[in-house]
Amino acid sequence: MDTLYTDLLCIGAGLAGERVAVEAASQGFKATCLSIVPPRRSHSSAAQGGMQAALGNACMGEGDCPDIHFADTVRGSDWGCDQAVARLFSETAPMAVREMAFWGIPWNRVVAGRSTYFKAGRQYEKVELEEKEGLITARDFGGTAKWRTCYTSDGTGHTLLFTMDNMIVKLGVTVHDRVEAISLIHDGQSCMGAVARCLKTGKLRVYLARATLIATGGYGRLYRETTNAVINDGGGAIIALDTGVVPLGNMEAVQFHPTGIVPTNILVTEGCRGDGGTLKDVNGDRFMQIYEPGKQELASRDVVSRWMMHHIRQGMGVKSAYGDHLWLDIRHLGAHHIKTKLREVEEICHKFLGIDPVTQMIPVRPAQHYSMGGVRTNKDGTVYGLKGFFAAGEAACWDMHGFNRLGGNSLAETIVAGRIVGEKIAEFLQGMETDFKTSCVRSTVRRDRERIDRIIDGKDGKENLYELRNAMQDELMERVGIFRTGENLKRAVENLQVIHDRARHIGIRSSGPGANPELSLALRFRGMVRLALCVAYGALMRTESRGCHAREDYSERNDRDWLRRTLATWKEGEALPTLTYEPNSKIWEIPPGERGYGSCKIICSQDPAVCGITEDLPEHN
Amino acid sequence: MERILKFNIFRYTPVDPESTPHMQSFQLEETDSMTLYIALNHIREQQDPSLQFDFCCRAGICGSCAMLINGRPDLACHTKTKDLPSEITLMPLPVFKLIGDLSVDTGSWFRGMNERVESWIHTDKIFDPEAPEEPMTNQLAEEIYELERCIECGCCVAACGKANMREDFMGAVAFNRIARFMLDPRDERTNTEYFELVGTDEGIFGCLGLLGCEDVCPKDIPLQDQLGTLRRKMGWNAVQHLFSRIISR
């Protein structure tokens, strides 16, 4: 058994994981990253539109500052976020963007003088200031008061990831790609590293680390229709939940993006609407102005997705072999804009739809996109429940997004949280020693070996892996999607419990040595069903509507009872997660109120600690 | 009438002593809008779960799924079956080390490439968290982005006659990367320093000029222009060097 030692083990080498590793390595610690794909193929690369930071260089962002970014983030979260974290985030983001510029990002820049832009389908003029010429510019995104989203065309995630990995190469950080962590090594008190499986050879390996980080991204692949890469199946959350002591936060908070293309669910960026693109229905008419007269197409994602599905339910969708869809129209932005600022969108339309977005509309429908929930940490990135264990990025519930993330805030989170958590880990490594208990290592390895052998030998049964996976994905898609009801959620929980039980009896059909893709999925699958149960059960118990969690049977946002974060742990042998709750924020800089879009009834909090600092309580409406 | 597609797929798992390289055939009914991503997953889930291939973003962005499709390197995810004949032969990319079937180890190769060209901004400056960013014209930012669009899929390397003959040839991807940093004023390397990295037989002088790289680049990056620019600048650098020697005599 190969056993490797490192100061910091980063499980996941996307933007968040690599940013943490860069910080630790810069401070002289040995960092090792594990990644199931070569790091530059991580899903961070697929983020297109940009990264929010209140630089205020663009004229449409004039006067912007972290206070406004903070307020937008809190409103976007539907007051579900931790306000101390959102504050820390918005204050750090401008510097983080500049640091990325220093490391080589070719951010689009301010061009002084007159230019035109589109909003809600109409053309306007703006004048960029001479003194801002050449500084980092920004585009408009949903749910924001200012143009704040910094970008490199629509390949922002790609340039950030390549630049970050350049830093990894420069600093000589070890990256083991095609390696999947399948268990954490811990004694119920401290985390000591992980057991990992090499996806080139199929061999197991032990990584011992003084600090271990989960940065494996989201769990979108629990859903059938998702914009997420095929690797986003919640691997890090699975092994954290498996410990029995680490809680996952707000797993029911799952975002649907308005513009996944039909039928493949590939994302086209929010930048399309930010730059003035419009949504249209079967008659070729715009409709968002009916529902959201203020923000229109640029309300937050949860709100736009809901109205789109509502409009389709009203019979206004376009019929297709792949179900009803709507149109995204960017034709009026013109060929030059599309070919320079929306290059990936143009390519995706040509290659995957066979259409030209300069002359044709794009078929779109909301698709699962982002996991606000994840491994619960405090504001330093320290995971609840185990010492020496950290999480960052989409895999974490840090919790700056609450119940809805704003576009452009996820790339920003990876960079900002990576920086902050990296510093905290370096502090931790400075002062702490970890005792590696060989008994823990041996028992974890033994358990994983047994698990693998049983699956290969087919000792537990012959259940078909792919059929079960499809059943799980359908369950979440049909009953735990954009609109939710108690009845549907209850059925989803029951059906998922059956799948969870059947997953015990998976027998694989391929047994050859090597990576064996079927075995990889089989090892992960039961954990995936557990995550699905955390999502569905958390959603069932949350009897209110908040952000992306829209209960048709509880349509009010209930601040009286539900300014709480769900914490899910899984005790060995149980059939359901154990749910507990904690206050979602201790600091209330902005007391709960109207978001300004996505009208919904509010049951007000009476807690003076929450709303006591304001005179005028938000009214019932 | 839907076509029945015949796939001939290369099979071999080097870590399995019982495995031998061979071609295996699969048949599949073509469906509307079918891509090789859909087709290969269908084959794995319905016919042979041991089949190895790589997909990640399945949107042409991450570069995971490059393979030889009827002999030509391309991304499988954005290749539609309707653009192919009914018989489709899939092979792993050459040059890269085989992991199994259609899956190759691009990760190690590209890490090596990035180390060789020192693919990062070289500067003596220290980041000042309080200072505003250095200005740059938007036009230059867009020119850098144009070259930064490379996704390291490996198609240009697989299509390169020289890289197929000579293991240490750096390939168009490396020249493009150097060209990207030469454009970038934040990188303080001199032309001489850049040319020390690529001005060799394994570098720009090893190129046979076949330009398969540019033909197959799925991101349409102007690779030929980068090679031309590097050679021209290199030549000019050499002439300047010669002149300064003559003058100093």
Side-chain angles (χ1 to χ4, degrees):
Chain A
M1 170 77 48
D2 285 343
T3 303
L4 296 102
Y5 169 79
T6 184
D7 291 325
L8 168 63
L9 180 67
C10 292
I11 300 173
L15 275 173
E18 288 204 333
R19 183 64 188 84
V20 170
V22 163
E23 195 61 35
S26 304
Q27 301 200 24
F29 297 103
K30 179 173 170 52
T32 303
C33 297
L34 308 185
S35 178
I36 52 181
V37 291
R40 294 182 187 213
R41 314 221 185 285
S42 302
H43 192 49
S44 305
S45 69
Q48 297 167 4
M51 163 171 178
Q52 279 203 47
L55 295 174
N57 292 329
C59 64
M60 300 299 288
E62 204 184 338
D64 200 8
C65 61
D67 285 341
I68 306 177
H69 188 187
F70 167 75
D72 284 344
T73 302
V74 173
R75 283 198 187 90
S77 81
D78 217 356
W79 278 270
C81 72
D82 182 331
Q83 296 198 12
V85 170
R87 172 54 75 180
L88 183 64
F89 159 77
S90 60
E91 296 286 343
T92 313
M95 184 261 285
V97 162
R98 292 192 183 110
E99 187 171 52
M100 292 311 299
F102 185 78
W103 288 346
I105 299 291
W107 294 114
N108 276 88
R109 303 289 175 141
V110 174
V111 179
R114 275 174 208 289
S115 55
T116 56
Y117 69 97
F118 284 88
K119 195 170 181 106
R122 285 172 57 190
Q123 196 170 4
Y124 299 88
E125 197 178 68
K126 62 183 172 68
V127 183
E128 298 288 353
L129 298 174
E130 282 297 332
E131 67 258 36
K132 300 288 188 185
E133 166 77 26
L135 297 179
I136 297 168
T137 192
R139 60 167 32 137
D140 201 6
F141 252 47
T144 61
K146 302 277 182 186
W147 288 26
R148 187 187 298 127
T149 304
C150 309
Y151 61 97
T152 55
S153 184
D154 57 353
T156 317
H158 167 82
T159 56
L160 283 168
L161 185 61
F162 269 52
T163 299
M164 194 65 78
D165 197 58
N166 284 343
M167 292 301 290
I168 290 282
V169 176
K170 178 187 176 190
L171 291 165
V173 173
T174 306
V175 180
H176 289 170
D177 73 41
R178 293 177 187 267
V179 174
E180 178 172 10
I182 59 169
S183 281
L184 291 168
I185 302 168
H186 71 99
D187 59 1
Q189 306 288 322
S190 300
C191 186
M192 301 165 223
V195 177
R197 187 165 167 270
C198 174
L199 301 180
K200 293 175 190 167
T201 62
K203 287 195 176 126
L204 293 187
R205 214 180 275 162
V206 168
Y207 291 87
L208 295 176
R210 287 202 288 141
T212 303
L213 173 89
I214 297 282
T216 49
Y219 44 88
R221 282 279 155 180
L222 301 181
Y223 284 79
R224 186 184 65 225
E225 291 173 14
T226 175
T227 64
N228 283 192
V230 300
I231 56 173
N232 297 123
D233 45 20
I238 290 170
I239 58 177
L241 190 66
D242 272 350
T243 62
V245 294
V246 169
L248 306 181
N250 278 349
M251 291 295 280
E252 65 271 30
V254 176
Q255 180 178 77
F256 282 71
H257 194 291
T259 57
I261 62 171
V262 179
T264 52
N265 304 304
I266 293 169
L267 175 76
V268 290
T269 174
E270 184 161 319
C272 292
R273 283 172 293 131
D275 292 0
T278 54
L279 294 169
K280 292 184 172 172
D281 62 20
V282 64
N283 300 322
D285 294 331
R286 288 185 61 226
F287 56 90
M288 278 307 296
Q289 78 283 0
I290 304 170
Y291 305 116
E292 295 292 331
K295 297 294 268 181
Q296 307 192 18
E297 273 86 351
L298 285 179
S300 61
R301 289 174 178 174
D302 58 326
V303 171
V304 177
S305 291
R306 256 195 310 277
W307 287 128
M308 287 171 75
M309 290 314 288
H310 171 80
H311 206 62
I312 288 174
R313 281 177 170 189
Q314 301 295 308
M316 301 304 278
V318 183
K319 303 266 176 253
S320 84
Y322 301 97
D324 293 1
H325 65 76
L326 294 160
W327 298 114
L328 172 65
D329 189 358
I330 59 171
R331 293 174 298 181
H332 52 288
L333 304 186
H336 177 73
H337 185 93
I338 293 170
K339 286 175 194 297
T340 55
K341 301 292 196 300
L342 297 168
R343 292 199 58 158
E344 296 299 326
V345 170
E346 194 207 12
E347 200 174 293
I348 286 166
C349 286
H350 278 291
K351 296 264 168 73
F352 294 91
L353 292 168
I355 65 162
D356 179 3
V358 176
T359 58
Q360 290 167 288
M361 294 195 286
I362 308 166
V364 293
R365 183 170 59 211
Q368 192 286 343
H369 181 62
Y370 190 81
S371 314
M372 276 77 73
V375 181
R376 177 67 186 137
T377 73
N378 68 10
K379 72 179 183 357
D380 298 337
T382 305
V383 174
Y384 290 14
L386 284 178
K387 271 207 284 282
F389 191 32
F390 302 84
E394 190 175 352
C397 179
W398 187 29
D399 183 5
M400 58 168 277
H401 306 303
F403 274 77
N404 178 65
R405 171 175 75 72
L406 293 182
N409 260 357
S410 88
L411 281 181
E413 181 189 17
T414 63
I415 304 292
V416 171
R419 197 176 200 283
I420 293 169
V421 175
E423 278 174 11
K424 293 293 171 184
I425 289 176
E427 274 173 33
F428 172 87
L429 289 170
Q430 208 73 54
M432 289 295 288
E433 292 302 329
T434 301
D435 291 325
F436 298 117
K437 296 183 181 162
T438 54
S439 58
C440 289
V441 179
R442 284 163 61 92
S443 67
T444 311
V445 171
R446 194 183 317 121
R447 204 189 58 204
D448 284 329
R449 276 245 164 78
E450 273 175 24
R451 204 151 63 101
I452 291 168
D453 291 344
R454 293 188 79 86
I455 293 173
I456 289 178
D457 297 344
K459 278 186 183 148
D460 298 315
K462 284 276 164 231
E463 286 280 5
N464 183 303
L465 174 60
Y466 295 109
E467 277 173 28
L468 286 182
R469 186 205 56 195
N470 295 346
M472 174 197 70
Q473 290 178 333
D474 287 347
E475 210 55 56
L476 284 193
M477 205 65 215
E478 303 306 326
R479 285 183 256 280
V480 202
I482 292 181
F483 290 109
R484 301 167 175 185
T485 66
E487 195 185 332
N488 273 336
L489 291 169
K490 194 159 169 289
R491 263 182 70 196
V493 169
E494 287 164 6
N495 294 344
L496 286 167
Q497 282 182 298
V498 172
I499 295 169
H500 184 242
D501 207 46
R502 286 174 62 189
R504 206 198 302 270
H505 307 293
I506 285 170
I508 59 173
R509 291 168 287 163
S510 53
S511 58
N516 193 338
E518 194 186 17
L519 176 60
S520 299
L521 180 59
L523 281 170
R524 215 178 304 134
F525 182 67
R526 207 145 180 263
M528 289 170 69
V529 186
R530 286 185 187 170
L531 298 188
L533 272 162
C534 290
V535 175
Y537 191 49
L540 173 64
M541 301 312 280
R542 183 173 285 273
T543 48
E544 66 153 355
S545 291
R546 183 179 299 277
C548 65
H549 174 68
R551 284 282 296 256
E552 292 183 293
D553 48 349
Y554 291 93
S555 57
E556 307 86 4
R557 190 184 86 198
N558 185 343
D559 292 339
R560 187 188 61 209
D561 304 319
W562 284 104
L563 286 175
R564 300 193 290 168
R565 182 179 299 107
T566 310
L567 297 178
T569 50
W570 201 294
K571 307 269 180 294
E572 184 62 39
E574 297 282 310
L576 273 178
T578 305
L579 302 187
T580 57
Y581 295 90
E582 65 175 2
N584 61 350
S585 195
K586 286 183 188 133
I587 294 164
W588 293 92
E589 272 195 66
I590 306 179
E594 287 278 343
R595 296 168 95 187
Y597 45 79
S599 64
C600 107
K601 289 192 186 118
I602 299 170
I603 299 172
C604 293
S605 169
Q606 304 300 328
D607 182 353
V610 171
C611 49
I613 50 170
T614 178
E615 298 290 301
D616 36 73
L617 283 173
E619 288 173 14
H620 290 263
N621 60 351
Chain B
M1 167 103 179
E2 303 295 355
R3 290 191 300 175
I4 300 294
L5 301 175
K6 185 184 176 201
F7 287 88
N8 303 311
I9 299 179
F10 177 82
R11 303 298 308 266
Y12 178 45
T13 305
V15 294
D16 180 358
E18 288 172 25
S19 173
T20 52
H22 64 283
M23 299 300 289
Q24 188 178 352
S25 294
F26 299 93
Q27 291 204 339
L28 194 62
E29 193 176 327
E30 189 173 29
T31 55
D32 196 23
S33 306
M34 184 178 257
T35 61
L36 289 182
Y37 165 71
I38 295 169
L40 283 168
N41 274 294
H42 198 91
I43 291 171
R44 182 194 275 176
E45 293 179 17
Q46 306 291 333
Q47 302 186 32
D48 189 340
S50 69
L51 184 61
Q52 294 177 70
F53 50 77
D54 295 319
F55 286 99
C56 185
C57 77
R58 57 80 173 92
I61 292 168
C62 79
S64 292
C65 62
M67 57 182 71
L68 294 187
I69 302 161
N70 285 342
R72 187 184 170 89
D74 202 351
L75 301 179
C77 73
H78 75 191
T79 301
K80 295 185 277 292
T81 53
K82 75 175 171 61
D83 298 334
L84 298 171
S86 59
E87 188 160 342
I88 300 165
T89 300
L90 301 178
M91 304 278 285
L93 284 190
V95 182
F96 301 96
K97 190 177 169 194
L98 183 70
I99 291 173
D101 304 338
L102 301 173
S103 172
V104 295
D105 183 2
T106 52
S108 306
W109 197 95
F110 280 103
R111 172 77 185 227
M113 186 280 290
N114 282 308
E115 286 169 357
R116 266 172 103 181
V117 303
E118 300 182 13
S119 172
W120 59 84
I121 297 279
H122 289 53
T123 178
D124 292 331
K125 294 190 185 122
I126 292 164
F127 176 65
D128 177 359
E130 305 300 323
E133 64 275 18
E134 290 278 330
M136 175 186 277
T137 66
N138 191 57
Q139 192 190 339
L140 177 58
E142 286 183 350
E143 282 168 20
I144 295 171
Y145 176 68
E146 185 63 25
L147 305 189
E148 182 98 353
R149 291 177 71 244
C150 167
I151 55 174
E152 298 189 357
C153 61
C155 285
C156 62
V157 179
C160 172
K162 192 60 178 268
N164 274 278
M165 288 189 294
R166 187 167 169 165
E167 203 177 305
D168 58 2
F169 185 62
M170 297 172 92
V173 61
F175 309 149
N176 178 66
R177 189 61 50 81
I178 288 288
R180 177 249 175 271
F181 283 107
M182 286 178 72
L183 266 183
D184 196 326
R186 293 168 293 196
D187 196 317
E188 293 165 357
R189 279 180 279 187
T190 61
N191 281 352
T192 313
E193 286 172 293
Y194 287 124
F195 296 140
E196 273 170 16
L197 297 171
V198 290
T200 59
D201 279 354
E202 307 89 66
I204 51 173
F205 296 118
C207 170
L208 299 171
L210 302 173
L211 299 173
C213 52
E214 176 148 334
D215 290 345
V216 300
C217 176
K219 288 291 177 188
D220 298 322
I221 295 170
L223 296 170
Q224 183 180 350
D225 292 352
Q226 306 325 309
L227 179 75
T229 305
L230 286 181
R231 281 188 168 168
R232 223 170 22 250
K233 284 195 175 166
M234 179 107 192
W236 179 236
N237 218 42
V239 171
Q240 281 179 315
H241 187 64
L242 198 65
F243 268 119
S244 64
R245 277 199 3 219
I246 292 168
I247 290 164
S248 67
R249 263 188 223 160

